[in-house]
Amino acid sequence: MAKVLMKGNEAIGEAAIRAGCIHFFGYPITPQSEVPEYLAKRLPEVGGVFVQAESEVAASNMIYGAAGVGMRVLTTSSSPGISLMAEGVSYLAGAELPVVIVNIMRGGPGLGGILPSQGDYLQATKGMAHGDFDLIVLAPSSVQEAVDLTIRAFQLAEKYRNPVMVVGDGMIGQMMEPVDFPEVEVGPPLAADDWALTGCEGRSPRDVNSLFLDANDLHNHNVKLKDKFAVITENEQEWELYSCEGEYDVLVTSFGMMARICKTAIDVLAEEGIKVGLFRPITIKPYPYDACREAAQKAKRLLCVEMNMGQMIQDVQLATRGAKEIDFFGKAGGVIPSVEDVIQSVRETLAKTGK
Amino acid sequence: MKKIFAYTDGLTRLPTHYCPGCTHGVIHRVVGEVIDELGIRGTTVGVAPVGCAVLAYKYFNCDMFEASHGRAPAVATGAKRCRPEMSVFTYQGDGDLASIGMAEIVHAANRGEKFTVIFVNNAIYGMTGGQMAPTTMPNQRSTTTPFGRDVNLAGYPIRVAEMLSTLTTPAYVSRVSSHTAEQTVRAKEVIKKAFQYQIAGTCFTFVEVLSTCPTNWGLSPRESNKWLEKEMLPYYPLGDIKRPEDFEGGQHAGN
């Protein structure tokens, strides 16, 4: 199929439809409002459901209702709105409902700003809401990858009966790029027949629930969720290595759009004869620790570059287990580090290696 | 031997956890009977709240959600919009619906979501041990209004049914009570009518059921019924407050 030029937010909406999701519940917030706007127009054309919720709190509970009756469903928001969805996400994880949540991140904390940020990394990967649970979190670095990972998100959600979050930043949401929509074979939501609330005609009643008043039952439920995530960790890690063939003294670690800027910096340095590698996790949860450690082995020193004050660096530290010094370069609040900024910080890291 | 009373298929046979004298049990019973009599048990999904009725998903003999506190109307919106052919109801108390869930109920009503809300108003928080609810009566003592609800500080009790009826969107809004057998029979008729409107796809349907809480009111069940009649009925009058028939061309008749 021919490529189409689309804004990231609109492409994410279209990707959901291509993945067989025709139900959307959400609330406007900059910089993701083009997703609901696009779907408000597009979903009626495909016989779908669009509801503008009264709040993100409500939206996150509407998707609980929609997924609970066995439907593929999407919500999208941006940082402050995602915080409001925390309640719903915990219940969704507890009830093991397959939903896809997209966070087009903006600067924080608080009302923060409306410009691109990666400030919600730790929220998405470590502390989305109360209780023991894990989200699967995917981080695209282009509009095309936002399309591919949105489709992938629905597949993973259903395969594991687990909420999946796609985190982009305001840049991915707002910029236009040519995209290709892959052909996706779409059937009814996977295995929903076994658990969804479709009416108890001809079978025993079911419930969709996260309440376990008996301590042992709740413990066992937590163990089940932990075991499930162990399987996800085993099977679903994705990452990209860029310029990691051969030797390099510095390995840059970065995710999402920031990693793309780092690639350009690495290309410029390569022209000068300075070889720098890049490790980019695509699943920031489960984090590809082994792959990161392996990529770090050849490097004398690491540089973690993020659009925040240093969040993913914690995972890089975990991956390398203190074996390497890790520098950090980042800007927050909507200041996007330039290629020149990255080159400068790579040079500084390189200088510390004695080169 | 003549059978004069039987279990309803609308409820499971699990004994409920409700306190002696609490009217949740009889309200469950009439909702269950309605679901059974309308023949919709196999195509119904209910939404249980947080509060005393948190375990309602174990008692209604149909597919059930357990929702987070106050969000049952949002969960029901998601379910009903995606499966409009099913009957969907929420069963919520006054803390759940009228306090933390006020936004969700107002907007579900305003969107005209085609589901049925059973709103149980006992003028107190039961599950958490007798704290003030938005529906607690002026001067009523609770664990968080130990000297009685001071309306200068906590405002007056919210009449949710009347408030929702101010919305322009067509709806069926009614208030019934469960403090006598006669009123409970009437409650069942109203709840049945609400489900029938839903099945016909007519409108949002909301039935407020006045209820007692002997445990947290500190009264015997019999005294509780009298207290409801004396203190609550004058403030929360019974009857239909809004009916879809009253609408002509989108305008509320008489407006």
Side-chain angles (χ1 to χ4, degrees):
Chain A
M1 220 176 85
K3 289 197 175 202
V4 282
L5 186 66
M6 280 184 100
K7 204 173 199 179
N9 282 334
E10 297 182 346
I12 287 168
E14 184 61 30
I17 294 172
R18 302 298 175 100
C21 168
I22 56 167
H23 307 97
F24 177 90
F25 300 85
Y27 187 83
I29 181 172
T30 307
Q32 67 83 49
S33 295
E34 293 84 359
V35 185
E37 285 171 353
Y38 180 82
L39 290 173
K41 187 173 60 165
R42 187 75 174 90
L43 283 174
E45 294 172 6
V46 293
V49 169
F50 173 89
V51 177
Q52 180 169 328
E54 59 270 29
S55 67
E56 290 89 347
V57 176
S60 67
N61 285 281
M62 288 174 181
I63 64 172
Y64 181 91
V69 297
M71 294 298 183
R72 212 167 264 141
V73 64
L74 172 74
T75 193
T76 62
S77 190
S78 179
S79 310
I82 293 291
S83 290
L84 281 173
M85 289 186 183
E87 171 191 280
V89 177
S90 181
Y91 282 72
L92 286 156
E96 296 186 84
L97 291 178
V99 298
V100 174
I101 301 156
V102 177
N103 180 6
I104 300 298
M105 294 180 282
R106 56 187 253 184
L111 202 47
I114 58 168
L115 295 172
S117 160
Q118 296 182 321
D120 305 343
Y121 179 93
L122 289 174
Q123 180 193 45
T125 60
K126 315 284 186 218
M128 184 59 220
H130 66 280
D132 274 292
F133 71 89
D134 297 282
L135 295 178
I136 299 169
V137 188
L138 312 175
S141 70
S142 67
V143 175
Q144 181 64 57
E145 203 175 33
V147 166
D148 296 340
L149 291 182
T150 298
I151 294 168
R152 181 93 185 108
F154 283 101
Q155 295 162 344
L156 289 169
E158 288 169 28
K159 183 175 175 188
Y160 295 105
R161 267 191 76 180
N162 207 76
V164 178
M165 185 173 276
V166 177
V167 295
D169 55 69
M171 254 186 292
I172 287 211
Q174 294 298 319
M175 72 184 189
M176 291 181 88
E177 284 193 295
V179 286
D180 212 348
F181 288 97
E183 287 298 321
V184 186
E185 211 168 299
V186 171
L190 203 66
D193 287 353
D194 299 338
W195 55 265
L197 307 182
T198 52
C200 66
E201 199 74 71
R203 60 162 169 79
S204 300
R206 294 171 177 162
D207 54 69
V208 162
N209 181 24
S210 63
L211 179 68
F212 296 82
L213 285 174
D214 181 274
N216 283 315
D217 288 349
L218 185 53
H219 169 75
N220 291 336
H221 182 59
N222 275 272
V223 169
K224 180 187 168 199
L225 296 179
K226 184 176 168 15
D227 290 347
K228 176 166 78 174
F229 199 71
V231 176
I232 294 169
T233 302
E234 184 69 29
N235 296 335
E236 307 298 348
Q237 295 175 38
E238 280 186 61
W239 65 91
E240 184 194 7
L241 295 173
Y242 185 76
S243 181
C244 283
E245 331 66 46
E247 298 303 310
Y248 45 85
D249 291 324
V250 172
L251 177 75
V252 171
T253 58
S254 191
F255 73 100
M257 276 301 293
M258 193 61 243
R260 195 157 151 197
I261 296 168
C262 291
K263 281 184 189 176
T264 309
I266 286 167
D267 291 348
V268 172
L269 286 164
E271 284 171 20
E272 287 182 32
I274 299 169
K275 181 78 192 301
V276 177
L278 171 77
F279 173 78
R280 175 175 77 95
I282 296 168
T283 54
I284 57 173
K285 181 104 186 233
Y287 197 86
Y289 291 109
D290 293 344
C292 181
R293 182 163 53 251
E294 205 168 301
Q297 267 165 9
K298 283 194 270 183
K300 290 191 175 133
R301 204 174 172 100
L302 270 58
L303 171 66
C304 189
V305 184
E306 303 178 61
M307 284 195 287
N308 57 42
M309 290 288 97
Q311 299 195 12
M312 188 185 80
I313 190 171
Q314 295 184 10
D315 277 326
V316 180
Q317 284 162 342
L318 280 173
T320 52
R321 296 172 186 166
K324 305 280 174 181
E325 289 292 325
I326 308 167
D327 297 320
F328 176 77
F329 176 68
K331 288 189 174 177
V335 182
I336 301 164
S338 66
V339 171
E340 292 70 30
D341 289 337
V342 178
I343 290 172
Q344 177 59 28
S345 55
V346 169
R347 288 193 204 283
E348 284 167 17
T349 293
L350 204 56
K352 290 177 194 163
T353 67
K355 294 247 169 171
Chain B
M1 208 163 67
K2 192 181 163 202
K3 193 185 225 180
I4 57 163
F5 196 75
Y7 286 110
T8 169
D9 272 348
L11 297 181
T12 62
R13 301 206 177 173
L14 210 63
T16 71
H17 69 286
Y18 297 114
C19 300
C22 167
T23 50
H24 264 304
V26 75
I27 301 167
H28 277 33
R29 168 84 196 190
V30 295
V31 173
E33 285 180 6
V34 165
I35 289 169
D36 186 34
E37 288 167 20
L38 292 173
I40 56 172
R41 194 177 71 83
T43 52
T44 292
V45 59
V47 188
V50 170
C52 284
V54 70
L55 296 174
Y57 65 91
K58 289 175 181 268
Y59 306 141
F60 287 108
N61 194 21
C62 58
D63 279 3
M64 291 292 294
F65 280 102
E66 208 316 289
S68 55
H69 200 19
R71 319 294 177 221
V75 173
T77 297
K80 183 74 179 187
R81 289 287 186 115
C82 290
R83 291 200 185 271
E85 72 283 4
M86 289 182 70
S87 296
V88 176
F89 73 98
T90 72
Y91 186 103
Q92 303 174 258
D94 42 18
D96 187 87
L97 182 141
S99 189
I100 198 166
M102 188 59 106
E104 283 74 17
I105 191 62
V106 170
H107 287 278
N110 194 50
R111 288 189 302 264
E113 300 294 346
K114 310 289 187 294
F115 56 75
T116 299
V117 175
I118 310 297
F119 168 47
V120 179
N121 174 1
N122 62 5
I124 205 150
Y125 278 67
M127 168 68 86
T128 44
Q131 296 82 11
M132 180 184 70
T135 49
T136 293
M137 299 305 295
N139 302 317
Q140 184 184 339
R141 284 170 191 258
S142 74
T143 58
T144 49
T145 53
F147 312 110
R149 178 178 185 151
D150 180 348
V151 295
N152 294 310
L153 297 173
Y156 283 83
I158 299 175
R159 295 184 182 97
V160 180
E162 283 81 353
M163 193 179 73
L164 294 180
S165 71
T166 65
L167 300 169
T168 304
T169 309
Y172 178 56
V173 179
S174 191
R175 185 183 287 118
V176 296
S177 184
S178 59
H179 71 293
T180 66
E182 189 190 352
Q183 289 300 333
T184 306
V185 169
R186 161 85 187 134
K188 181 181 167 182
E189 287 167 7
V190 169
I191 289 168
K192 191 176 228 174
K193 198 163 145 192
F195 272 92
Q196 284 167 330
Y197 281 128
Q198 177 183 173
I199 293 163
T202 308
C203 60
F204 174 78
T205 54
F206 181 93
V207 183
E208 177 171 339
V209 188
L210 301 183
S211 168
T212 62
C213 183
T215 299
N216 289 303
W217 289 357
L219 300 172
S220 72
R222 182 172 297 189
E223 287 165 345
S224 294
N225 289 335
K226 284 186 185 146
W227 192 88
L228 185 156
E229 193 162 327
K230 181 167 168 282
E231 302 292 333
M232 290 177 75
L233 282 188
Y235 194 85
Y236 297 117
L238 305 182
D240 287 353
I241 298 162
K242 185 172 180 175
R243 296 177 305 170
E245 293 83 0
D246 298 337
F247 281 78
E248 299 276 344
Q251 288 299 307
H252 202 177
N255 273 12

